[in-house]
Amino acid sequence: MELAPQSAQSHPDLCVSFDEWTRGRKIQSIGSNAGAERLPFQGWHHFKEAFAPEVIARAVNESQREVRSCLDPFGGSGTTALACQFLGVEPTTIEVNPYLADLIEAKLSSYDADDLALDLSRVVRTTNARRRGSLSRFKHLPPTFIESPDQERWVFNRNVAERIACHMDAIDEQARPAHRRLFKAMLGGMLISVSNVLINGKGRRYRSNWQDREVYPRSVDQLFEARSRQAIDEIHAHRMRRHRGFNVLRGNCIDQLANSSKVDLSVFSPPYPNSFDYTDVYNVELWMLGHLGGWDANRDLRMSTLCSHVQIKRQFAPAPKGSHRLNLVMGQLRRVKGELWSPWIPEMVGGYFHDMNQVMARLHGRLNEHGEIWAVVGDSRYAGIRIQVANILADLAAPLGFDVVKVEPFRSMRASAQQGGQRELDETLLVLRKSSR
């Protein structure tokens, strides 16, 4: 948990407003792929699945109670927490992925821009003085990560990996932990662009003709310095936020909810039950930046995520009671189990709603009177069977002590290629209010 200074609150006239941060933009959708220009801080790492910060502003403005504090149990790119700072709301974020947790903390922290620029100059000088870094820091990585004569393909060419190691060494030599965290976030956000892979769909794939692609070590230097200087400019321009405090809790959201304080509002977008393993999406950053010490650590991380995928063998908890819609879906999935691309999909769907039911139950205990949940959720479909996530969650919420305020579909998502790829899956805003009953 981290608390940053809150001095900006005593000078509200000097603060950068939410509208100044978002540039008063007009967006097509409040959900993922909002189709609007990239905002300061949000370009530090590309998040295809990030939802628009305007949903947080709307939640704060429309909430039945005054919102002074907000909790996001699925931190992701840090959209909720960052928006809260500009809105003058104290944010608490839970994130299980250590790379994303560091990225969120880097965005939320307060810095002296001059000190940052000085340390960046030190990193640049150090890397310029060294031709390459030792690959020994990557010895625990999977064998296909670094170019090797006994591998047919690899994620990073050897000279690029040596240059990344050089930057990692130089960053580690900096005295301030917050600066090290920020510079590693900058490095992490550019790793894919200097690699032989792309992030596509449910994970990574090799670029076409990757063997012929030249990535020069100097490109690593130039990209890191340019990204870091851009980040420092954004930090300086937006340093006076209405609230500069924050809490970052690291680990499984269901466990960490017990450690969070009471809040007025919770805004989040959980993983969708679409069989995406979101730790695999960030597999390159997790390994290269040292967040995973080996295969056991990788497995532990994947096991601690929400039950939204079948990429790892695990014991799925049974589906919760209380939703006729969910009962129908579970019966339909079991009947077509032999037609599904994975026989574990019915169990995964049941486990997903079990986990989300626990999240809602624990949030009920963390919310103040009349506190609200604003959740952006997405449907999925398997063998033609549609899983209406928002409606099922609304069914489950009532017995937990919530009133359903709205179920508002706002975007049609494209189904996976396995399901034909048509736009026929809803992305929906679900709003629940802690009941006074």
Side-chain angles (χ1 to χ4, degrees), residues 67-172:
V67 177
R68 296 179 180 271
S69 55
C70 180
L71 168 64
D72 182 350
F74 303 96
S77 65
T79 299
T80 298
L82 191 59
C84 282
Q85 287 191 325
F86 286 107
L87 290 164
V89 173
E90 180 182 4
T92 296
T93 293
I94 301 172
E95 178 51 54
V96 67
N97 184 320
Y99 166 63
L100 296 184
D102 273 2
L103 181 64
I104 293 168
E105 191 163 343
K107 291 180 179 182
L108 301 179
S109 295
S110 295
Y111 308 89
D112 182 291
D114 291 337
D115 288 342
L116 269 177
L118 184 62
D119 276 355
L120 175 60
S121 296
R122 292 190 178 108
V123 172
V124 170
R125 283 200 306 271
T126 299
T127 54
N128 285 341
R130 300 170 183 171
R131 292 189 61 189
R132 60 177 63 90
S134 171
L135 294 182
S136 62
R137 68 161 53 242
F138 300 138
K139 62 184 179 182
H140 64 288
L141 267 61
T144 56
F145 261 65
I146 311 296
E147 179 181 0
S148 171
D150 59 348
Q151 296 295 326
E152 294 184 356
R153 56 183 185 174
W154 47 85
V155 177
F156 292 97
N157 296 341
R158 185 179 181 86
N159 59 355
V160 170
E162 289 173 341
R163 208 63 195 145
I164 293 169
C166 190
H167 281 79
M168 292 282 288
D169 292 342
I171 292 169
D172 285 344

Side-chain angles (χ1 to χ4, degrees), residues 307 314-320 346-355 358:
C307 290
R314 65 200 299 178
Q315 187 67 43
F316 294 106
E347 286 75 13
M348 180 271 285
V349 171
Y352 176 85
F353 286 106
H354 171 273
D355 284 0
Q358 283 200 300

Side-chain angles (χ1 to χ4, degrees), residues 254-293:
I254 296 172
D255 295 337
Q256 291 300 324
L257 277 168
N259 299 322
S260 66
S261 301
K262 287 266 193 174
V263 294
D264 302 313
L265 175 69
S266 180
V267 184
F268 58 90
S269 183
Y272 299 168
N274 51 17
S275 80
F276 282 26
D277 181 350
Y278 290 94
T279 60
D280 198 41
V281 172
Y282 304 105
N283 182 278
V284 171
E285 295 85 359
L286 286 164
W287 282 105
M288 291 296 290
L289 297 180
H291 294 295
L292 298 176

Side-chain angles (χ1 to χ4, degrees), residues 54 62 243 331 392 435:
E54 282 79 2
E62 295 182 16
H243 193 103
I392 292 172
S435 175

Side-chain angles (χ1 to χ4, degrees), residues 31-73:
S32 58
N33 295 311
E37 62 180 306
R38 185 173 293 178
L39 302 179
F41 303 97
Q42 300 301 69
W44 291 9
H45 189 111
H46 175 64
F47 290 87
K48 181 181 178 181
E49 66 274 13
F51 63 92
E54 282 79 2
V55 71
I56 297 97
R58 181 179 163 190
V60 169
N61 291 331
E62 295 182 16
S63 175
Q64 189 177 75
R65 62 173 293 131
E66 181 183 6
V67 177
R68 296 179 180 271
S69 55
C70 180
L71 168 64
D72 182 350

Side-chain angles (χ1 to χ4, degrees), residues 161-434:
E162 289 173 341
R163 208 63 195 145
I164 293 169
C166 190
H167 281 79
M168 292 282 288
D169 292 342
I171 292 169
D172 285 344
E173 292 172 11
Q174 304 311 305
R176 298 175 176 91
H179 291 195
R180 295 197 300 269
R181 184 184 302 114
L182 173 66
F183 293 140
K184 285 184 179 180
M186 292 302 101
L187 192 62
M190 58 175 269
L191 288 177
I192 295 300
S193 63
V194 297
S195 77
N196 297 324
V197 299
L198 293 171
I199 299 302
N200 184 282
K202 299 179 182 180
R204 67 175 189 261
R205 64 174 176 81
Y206 280 84
R207 301 172 188 267
S208 59
N209 300 319
W210 65 269
Q211 301 95 327
D212 302 322
R213 183 172 182 260
E214 287 275 5
V215 180
Y216 298 100
R218 184 61 184 160
S219 300
V220 178
D221 301 346
Q222 292 170 341
L223 189 55
F224 171 77
E225 184 174 359
R227 285 172 49 80
S228 297
R229 293 201 183 280
Q230 176 66 32
I232 293 171
D233 287 345
E234 292 175 354
I235 287 166
H236 180 70
H238 300 85
R239 66 193 181 281
M240 296 298 287
R241 305 170 203 173
R242 290 182 60 196
H243 193 103
R244 289 159 67 185
F246 64 88
N247 308 297
V248 175
L249 303 176
R250 298 162 185 261
N252 177 291
C253 70
I254 296 172
D255 295 337
Q256 291 300 324
L257 277 168
N259 299 322
S260 66
S261 301
K262 287 266 193 174
V263 294
D264 302 313
L265 175 69
S266 180
V267 184
F268 58 90
S269 183
Y272 299 168
N274 51 17
S275 80
F276 282 26
D277 181 350
Y278 290 94
T279 60
D280 198 41
V281 172
Y282 304 105
N283 182 278
V284 171
E285 295 85 359
L286 286 164
W287 282 105
M288 291 296 290
L289 297 180
H291 294 295
L292 298 176
W295 289 108
D296 287 345
N298 186 41
R299 178 179 174 80
D300 289 345
L301 175 60
R302 298 175 80 177
M303 291 289 287
S304 63
T305 60
L306 202 73
C307 290
S308 64
H309 60 87
V310 292
Q311 273 65 42
I312 188 170
K313 188 176 180 180
R314 65 200 299 178
Q315 187 67 43
F316 294 106
K321 308 296 183 183
S323 170
H324 180 63
R325 263 180 283 245
L326 179 57
N327 293 341
L328 287 176
V329 163
M330 294 303 299
Q332 291 171 329
L333 288 174
R334 292 188 185 104
R335 284 192 291 274
V336 300
K337 191 171 184 176
E339 303 173 25
L340 299 172
W341 60 266
S342 168
W344 297 105
I345 285 174
E347 286 75 13
M348 180 271 285
V349 171
Y352 176 85
F353 286 106
H354 171 273
D355 284 0
M356 285 302 301
N357 195 58
Q358 283 200 300
V359 169
M360 292 191 298
R362 298 208 173 188
L363 279 173
H364 188 274
R366 308 324 306 155
L367 285 169
N368 290 319
E369 186 178 7
H370 304 304
E372 294 179 359
I373 290 174
W374 285 55
V376 175
V377 299
D379 291 352
S380 60
R381 190 183 68 174
Y382 297 99
I385 299 166
R386 183 178 172 187
I387 301 164
Q388 297 176 292
V389 174
N391 288 315
I392 292 172
L393 291 178
D395 294 341
L396 296 172
L400 296 175
F402 287 103
D403 294 328
V404 178
V405 178
K406 67 181 66 177
V407 180
E408 181 183 304
F410 56 83
R411 188 173 79 91
S412 179
M413 301 183 297
R414 189 177 299 279
S416 69
Q418 292 169 322
Q419 300 296 341
Q422 295 87 3
R423 291 187 178 278
E424 51 189 30
L425 297 176
D426 285 341
E427 197 168 33
T428 302
L429 172 65
L430 173 65
V431 180
L432 307 172
R433 181 178 298 135
K434 188 172 181 177

